[in-house]
Amino acid sequence: MEPLCKKLKTNDSSGKVNVIESYDVERCDTNLQFDKHKNVTRLKTYEAVKDEDSVLLTNEDEDSFVFPPDDDISDMLEDIDYNGSLPTITERYFSTYYKVNVQRPEDDMCIRIHSNRICMISIAPSHTIFQNGKKILKVDYKVSDKLDRMLNKVSGKSKHGAQPLQANSNICTISCSDGQTYTIKCCMIGKLIEVNEILLHNPELLKEPPHKGGYLALVLPNLKLLDKMKDTLLTPEQYKEYVLSRVKTESL
């Protein structure tokens, strides 16, 4: 509960301190006069107390005050492992996994799992779409005559209304300059949260890193099956080793 009396201190050029007492008359039994706002104000003036416990700064004091010089902070960076670049949002908050040869050789996908377990689906750098200088002409989220991923609508924490997904569900189709159209699979069981609509107008953006728009969709996986799904994926180290071995095999 607020106090019956509120005090506000102000000082003027004469060196006096003005104490304004404001009373709430609805809670006060006195016969004080009050205005239409049902508040009454009494003004009391006190001589300024100039001792060690109460010091009033004048304008001259403020002008003469000098801030201490900043210390040299260059030594603070000596123990920091800084290589000239900071981690991106996806590198900081997502754990990266890969699934290779999903439908055919070099049909490789990248799945990034956020700390809140939402998954970001994108194409792995070793996917055949990124080879031989192909140009991405179109990303189409209408996977059938009756199913359009663009019409996906979700609400609430449980993502009510989201389109259900299976591991072999189609997320989209991608048309390239070599005349080929590639069907992209979901690679997990879950619910579709959203698709990357920007790719409809700029499909070449898919070649960029995820934090710059190079991803296909966000999916909420089946949390009970999440750990089991991770066991079927490759870590970045395993993925790199696999791709290098595949390149060596193809060069023989």
Side-chain angles (χ1 to χ4, degrees):
M1 180 179 295
E2 295 185 357
L4 186 65
C5 177
K6 299 179 181 178
K7 295 184 178 181
L8 176 64
K9 291 185 177 182
T10 62
N11 63 293
D12 54 23
S13 58
S14 63
K16 296 182 179 181
V17 176
N18 298 324
V19 179
I20 301 176
E21 297 180 353
S22 180
Y23 292 83
D24 186 353
V25 297
E26 290 184 344
R27 298 165 50 212
C28 185
D29 295 331
T30 61
N31 295 323
L32 298 174
Q33 295 181 353
F34 54 92
D35 59 15
K36 61 181 179 180
H37 298 294
K38 295 186 179 181
N39 286 325
V40 61
T41 301
R42 295 193 310 185
L43 179 63
K44 292 184 179 181
T45 303
Y46 297 90
E47 293 292 337
V49 180
K50 298 182 180 180
D51 54 20
E52 295 181 355
D53 297 329
S54 178
V55 178
L56 297 178
L57 293 178
T58 64
N59 293 334
E60 295 180 356
D61 294 329
E62 294 179 356
D63 295 337
S64 62
F65 180 78
V66 179
F67 285 94
D70 294 334
D71 295 331
D72 186 5
I73 63 172
S74 58
D75 295 341
M76 297 173 59
L77 302 178
E78 292 182 355
D79 297 331
I80 298 178
D81 185 12
Y82 178 67
N83 58 4
S85 61
L86 297 175
T88 64
I89 295 296
T90 50
E91 292 171 341
R92 184 178 301 176
Y93 298 110
F94 287 81
S95 299
T96 304
Y97 297 89
Y98 296 90
K99 190 174 183 64
V100 297
N101 305 327
V102 177
Q103 303 172 85
R104 66 186 73 85
E106 299 182 347
D107 181 18
D108 304 335
M109 299 297 297
C110 179
I111 299 175
R112 293 176 171 87
I113 304 177
H114 193 273
S115 54
N116 63 8
R117 295 175 290 187
I118 289 178
C119 297
M120 177 186 292
I121 300 178
S122 57
I123 297 176
S126 57
H127 197 286
T128 184
I129 288 178
F130 295 145
Q131 299 177 15
N132 302 321
K134 296 185 184 70
K135 185 176 181 180
I136 301 176
L137 302 179
K138 182 180 180 181
V139 176
D140 190 359
Y141 288 106
K142 188 174 182 179
V143 295
S144 69
D145 294 337
K146 297 182 179 180
L147 183 57
D148 189 346
R149 301 298 185 193
M150 290 289 298
L151 301 179
N152 183 69
K153 302 294 181 182
V154 300
S155 62
K157 293 183 179 180
S158 300
K159 309 305 176 186
H160 296 291
Q163 296 178 5
L165 297 171
Q166 299 296 321
N168 62 345
S169 296
N170 297 337
I171 287 292
C172 66
T173 57
I174 300 176
S175 301
C176 295
S177 57
D178 62 350
Q180 296 292 324
T181 298
Y182 302 89
T183 301
I184 306 300
K185 296 294 183 178
C186 175
C187 303
M188 70 178 68
I189 299 174
K191 297 179 180 180
L192 179 63
I193 297 178
E194 67 176 47
V195 296
N196 188 1
E197 300 181 6
I198 301 178
L199 296 178
L200 299 178
H201 310 287
N202 185 10
E204 280 283 282
L205 191 65
L206 193 58
K207 296 180 179 180
E208 296 292 332
H211 67 280
K212 293 185 178 181
Y215 70 95
L216 292 169
L218 298 179
V219 175
L220 177 64
N222 186 315
L223 301 182
K224 295 181 180 179
L225 303 176
L226 182 58
D227 291 336
K228 185 177 180 180
M229 181 193 72
K230 289 181 181 179
D231 294 337
T232 65
L233 304 176
L234 301 180
T235 64
E237 293 77 15
Q238 293 171 332
Y239 167 74
K240 183 178 180 180
E241 182 179 351
Y242 174 81
V243 172
L244 290 176
S245 64
R246 187 170 65 185
V247 171
K248 291 180 180 179
T249 302
E250 293 175 351
S251 62
L252 296 178

